[in-house]
Structures are given as C-alpha cells and as structure tokens.
Amino acid sequence: MDEKVIDYIESIVLDRSDLLQEMEAYAEENGVPIMELVGIEALLGMLRIQQPKRILEVGTAIGYSALRMAEALPDTTIVTLERDEERYEKAQEFLGRSSARDRVITLLGDALELQEDVKQHGPYDAVFIDAAKGQYRKFFDSYSEMLTPEGVVYSDNVLFKGLVAEEVVEQKRIRNMVKKLQDYNKWLMDHPEYDTSILPVGDGVAISKKRGTRVEA
C-alpha cells in the first residue's frame, strides 16, 4: 500500500490506551514483531463482524495483538501460544496490567507441541496465525480441526513486505521464506475445505472461511 495512504489511515485511527502505546514503543525499541497498525485495525474490523467467542492465537510475542483483540471484543476469550520464554514473560507482565487479563490465556511452548493443551480450551471460532512463517501450513493443519463449523483462520504476513510478488530475491534466507509463503498462499487458495481471500493491508492478511455444505442444483 502507498506510504501516503498508510500515513493517512494511521493519522485518523483512534488513539490507543497508554498501555498499548507503551507496548508499541517497546516493540519498536526491542525489535519485537507486532502487527502493523493498519493491519491490526483491519483484523479487528473483521473480528467485530464475525464476533467470535473464542480465538486461538499462534504467536503471542509480547501480547499486543491478544490484548487488542480482547479489548475490541469484550465477550471473547483469547488463548495465545508463545515458545520464547522471555517474550512470554513480557506478555504476562503487560497483560497483567490490563482489565482484560482474565480473558487472555497464555500457554508457553512450541505451538506444534501444544495441541492437547490447546484442545482443552476449544473449540475455537477463529484461529489467528502470526508466528514462524515457515511453519504456517503446519499451524493451519494442527489447529484448523479445532474450529467450529463457521470458523475462520486469519493468517498474517502472507505478503511479506510485497516480496511474494518479486520474481528474484537475492538473499537466500529471505528467498526460502518467500518461497514457503508463496506455497502457503497457493495451498490456501486451492484448499478444498476453505474459501480464502488475501487482503493487501499491513503485511498481508489471508482470511480462510470454512465451507458449509453445498447444495447441488
């Protein structure tokens, strides 16, 4: 998206609480990846329409998006997973200062090893994937089966700063990541059980909705 458009949207977004702005500043100062402002606002808009009662988030980081979701959806519980102990502890600290803390359940561990713990808190109306990009398909396969019949999977960073559209990426590590995201996006689009749309907001958000029973004409 054009930088001027992004700046314009950010300029009219409502001010966040002091705690959220502190978290944004901490993330910037410490190189912690959190959702871009335009992207998180778009995600929250979609969640307000969906009104999920229970959300699973794969990738807590410092708890920013979990807290944004909890504040935007006062009747919703968020279960969020983080494997980095330092970030997990920082998330606990931030979330502990919020009035929404009782509706955010944080689990420490590798998301690919927490299925049994996660299942105990389900089922989920929405799954939000925002963790290791190279593992997106495994996250999707592991947790989409815990969705309710009308469930939705939201995947962040699927456009990876626009690099998924580039024909040549020089740096090998980045090139491998781009290839994995391209494969994931194509796999989502071809998935027989989900309808997927990709929105070019923030760093790219894919919305995958479970298909209902189709009535034959």
Side-chain angles (χ1 to χ4, degrees), residues 56-69:
L56 171 65
E57 177 186 46
V58 182
T60 311
I62 59 171
Y64 179 75
S65 52
L67 183 54
R68 292 297 309 268
M69 290 188 287

Side-chain angles (χ1 to χ4, degrees), residues 35 78 97 110 116 133 149 154 189 191 200 204 211:
M35 280 193 82
I78 293 93
R97 293 162 53 192
D110 190 317
E116 290 306 313
K133 300 176 186 65
Y154 301 91
M189 289 296 190
H191 202 295
R211 292 177 178 168

Side-chain angles (χ1 to χ4, degrees), residues 146-165:
M146 299 182 194
L147 282 171
T148 57
E150 297 299 316
V152 180
V153 179
Y154 301 91
S155 305
D156 191 30
N157 304 123
V158 296
L159 297 183
F160 199 26
K161 305 184 187 304
L163 291 174
V164 292

Side-chain angles (χ1 to χ4, degrees), residues 120-135:
Q120 292 178 19
H121 297 282
Y124 301 91
D125 304 297
V127 174
F128 175 46
I129 300 175
D130 187 19
K133 300 176 186 65
Q135 303 293 333

Side-chain angles (χ1 to χ4, degrees), residues 169 171-181:
V169 177
Q171 190 174 342
K172 182 178 180 181
R173 184 181 69 83
I174 300 298
R175 184 167 65 247
N176 290 340
M177 189 66 67
V178 168
K179 180 63 167 59
K180 288 179 179 179
L181 282 172

